[in-house]
Amino acid sequence: MVVGLQWGDEGKGKIVDVLSENFDIITRFQGGSNAGHTVIIGDAVFKFRLMPTGALRGKKVVIGNGVVVDPFVLLQELESLRSAGFNIDLLVSDRAHFITPYHIQIDQLQENAKGNQKIGTTKRGIGPTYADKISRIGVRASDLLTSLDNPQWKILAETSTSRIQELHHEKIEDSTLKSLDAYSETMKQIAPFVGDTSEYLNSAIDAGKRILFEGAQGTLLDIDHGSYPFVTSSNCVSAAASTGTGVAPTKLDSVLGITKAYMTRVGAGPFPTELQDATGEALQARGGEFGTVTGRPRRCGWLDLVALKYAVRLNGAKYLAVTKIDVLTGLNPLKVCVGYEIEGTELKTIPASSVEYSKAIPIYEELSGWSELPKVSDSDAYSSIPTTMLDFLKKIESWTSSKVAIISQGPDRADTILVPDVLPDISIDV
Ligand code: IMP
């Protein structure tokens, strides 16, 4: 399983792509089209919001019941992949909740109503769709495929309409109405891909198939464990792979957590190591830190080991992939956060309150930087890692008690180093 250990955008798409050859099936288990996964193959750049990354490698791809699905996005991604020559073998859970045009309008209205307390959502209808799921007024694939006259759809339509009109004093937007018209037509095209994914995945496990569970967003955006309320509306931690697919926790295997060599965050919320100076700008420019979904610039800062340790604990991440290590090249000294000071008290973990967390002043330790990257073209790239980079990686390992298994120093598959003898039964073909 692959999960993000920060505020999303850790480079999960690339790592899942690199690992996908070792698996038969790739499944997503939470989030929706708020995610943005970029995969680069040769000169071609692919950006997905919903489709599991393995779609590009001819793998069976599954969208589990924990995902909220925007059928327009799904269809558009299917069509663009098909026109690029890919044959997509997709199964979408009949129990997955579906995002409707109402949810998207409500997401936008809720954000606008928050004034300067905005979360900075992606405005893709994620929060309102999960809220309706928990309120038991949502619509699932199985409801939508019966017909749009079914009782569940009626409840959703009436509730959404009154929320938009009475709560927000707004009318239903023309774009909402227009897309509602197209909704059932789109559902018809998605219908052939809908089925019982839990049954499928469990049978596949029984038949000895290997499944890669692909997380979206990141631990610090988790609805329970993230910097609430500046979070997304799903559980992003590894445990969600079970509820989000219907595969029991006893059948799940090891967890690979992904962390950038520094931190980024898009949207509002506490970020103790944020750098609002030339170094922050350098990280943003070198790392191309602009959102895949919204194009918003990402806030950048030094690696926060306190947050990383917290995320490793929540996910049980025994293995780590450290991405974008190239972005730190030439910076000297490097800083890593090893504690917070909040109103005179030193803390070694993340406090529950975001008000308190936003007061955290990072306590840094300095490390020597490196000026050159390992030569990935060498057959033994690992042995060409500069000592200072090894020290940086060892610092991460000693803080988290996890093992660095993969180092990524660029967007291309070839820019990847598999640390020898760490990940059992995994090879990477660059
Ligand atoms: P929502 O998921 O659209 O409701 O947005 C809630 C928060 O999560 C906002 O701060 C978003 O910027 C952030 N967010 C959601 N999805 C991602 C992602 O895939 N990467 C990074 N941030 C995300």
Side-chain angles (χ1 to χ4, degrees):
M1 182 187 321
V2 167
V3 288
L5 298 176
Q6 298 171 318
W7 283 290
D9 309 316
E10 298 90 353
K12 295 180 290 294
K14 173 190 162 166
I15 300 298
V16 171
D17 179 55
V18 166
L19 295 176
S20 60
E21 300 298 356
N22 297 273
F23 296 87
D24 303 295
I25 302 164
I26 319 287
T27 183
R28 275 194 58 180
F29 52 90
Q30 47 75 226
S33 39
N34 48 349
H37 293 178
T38 307
V39 179
I40 299 181
I41 303 179
D43 291 336
V45 179
F46 298 90
K47 293 187 185 221
F48 297 120
R49 295 199 261 148
L50 196 52
M51 192 66 75
T53 307
L56 288 170
R57 301 287 171 188
K59 301 290 167 179
K60 174 91 183 181
V61 286
V62 173
I63 295 183
N65 57 279
V67 176
V68 287
V69 180
D70 183 327
F72 296 112
V73 174
L74 185 60
L75 195 60
Q76 184 244 315
E77 290 188 351
L78 267 170
E79 279 168 359
S80 66
L81 281 167
R82 276 185 189 142
S83 61
F86 292 96
N87 189 12
I88 306 302
D89 188 4
L90 169 73
L91 188 65
V92 181
S93 170
D94 47 11
R95 289 158 171 86
H97 279 251
F98 269 54
I99 298 175
T100 72
Y102 294 119
H103 292 119
I104 293 173
Q105 193 181 339
I106 292 169
D107 195 359
Q108 289 165 355
L109 291 171
Q110 277 176 349
E111 272 289 271
N112 295 344
K114 287 196 179 117
N116 62 7
Q117 292 302 307
K118 281 186 186 33
I119 294 168
T121 75
T122 57
K123 298 192 179 171
R124 307 287 160 176
I126 306 297
T129 308
Y130 276 117
D132 284 357
K133 169 178 176 173
I134 302 301
S135 302
R136 293 161 295 182
I137 56 171
V139 283
R140 311 198 293 178
S142 51
D143 302 311
L144 291 164
L145 292 179
T146 48
S147 84
L148 287 191
D149 277 338
N150 69 68
Q152 203 55 29
W153 176 266
K154 283 194 173 143
I155 295 172
L156 175 92
E158 279 162 23
T159 315
S160 303
T161 306
S162 66
R163 254 187 296 175
I164 290 171
Q165 291 173 339
E166 287 161 27
L167 206 60
H168 296 289
H169 309 290
E170 292 281 345
K171 66 178 184 59
I172 312 283
E173 275 170 12
D174 288 346
S175 58
T176 305
L177 291 170
K178 213 166 127 208
S179 20
L180 280 170
D181 280 345
Y183 206 79
S184 48
E185 200 41 52
T186 306
M187 282 313 297
K188 275 187 207 143
Q189 297 187 56
I190 288 172
F193 301 101
V194 175
D196 186 339
T197 48
S198 168
E199 159 71 24
Y200 175 81
L201 292 171
N202 280 286
S203 303
I205 292 171
D206 292 344
K209 302 255 191 242
R210 294 185 85 186
I211 303 176
L212 179 60
F213 294 80
E214 174 182 2
Q217 289 82 49
T219 305
L220 305 178
L221 287 172
D222 181 278
I223 184 74
D224 285 291
H225 304 286
S227 44
Y228 192 89
F230 303 100
V231 291
T232 191
S233 294
S234 63
N235 283 114
C236 316
V237 292
S238 56
S242 180
T243 54
T245 57
V247 174
T250 46
K251 291 189 177 168
L252 300 178
D253 205 354
S254 48
V255 179
L256 174 74
I258 319 290
T259 174
K260 271 181 198 168
Y262 52 98
M263 309 289 284
T264 64
R265 173 162 209 172
V266 60
F271 182 174
T273 62
E274 181 171 13
L275 292 167
Q276 285 166 321
D277 59 7
T279 309
E281 280 166 25
L283 292 176
Q284 191 182 69
R286 290 178 188 195
E289 297 296 354
F290 298 89
T292 315
V293 176
T294 57
R296 289 179 290 177
R298 298 181 187 138
R299 302 153 66 194
C300 298
W302 293 119
L303 182 65
D304 183 340
L305 291 174
V306 179
L308 188 60
K309 185 175 180 178
Y310 174 84
V312 163
R313 159 161 67 83
L314 290 164
N315 288 287
K318 201 167 153 195
Y319 306 108
L320 301 174
V322 180
T323 62
K324 291 196 151 181
I325 203 151
D326 52 309
V327 174
L328 296 186
T329 306
L331 293 179
N332 206 358
L334 301 173
K335 291 185 184 179
V336 288
C337 170
V338 293
Y340 305 131
E341 194 203 303
I342 301 181
E343 290 177 334
T345 307
E346 199 179 318
L347 228 74
K348 291 281 185 197
T349 190
I350 296 183
S353 155
S354 274
V355 174
E356 204 183 331
Y357 196 27
S358 60
K359 293 181 194 155
I361 300 165
I363 301 167
Y364 285 120
E365 211 174 285
E366 290 190 354
L367 299 172
S368 300
W370 50 87
S371 51
E372 271 181 43
L373 288 171
K375 299 193 179 32
V376 277
S377 51
D378 289 4
S379 57
D380 184 15
Y382 185 73
S383 64
S384 69
I385 295 182
T387 329
T388 46
M389 189 187 282
L390 276 180
D391 290 343
F392 178 81
L393 297 171
K394 279 188 195 138
K395 174 65 80 183
I396 292 176
E397 291 187 331
S398 68
W399 255 80
T400 57
S401 307
S402 299
K403 218 47 211 140
V404 174
I406 296 176
I407 303 155
S408 172
Q409 56 178 45
D412 212 89
R413 270 194 157 200
D415 299 321
T416 319
I417 300 172
L418 183 65
V419 180
D421 307 322
V422 177
L423 282 181
D425 310 323
I426 292 288
S427 59
I428 55 175
D429 174 19
V430 293

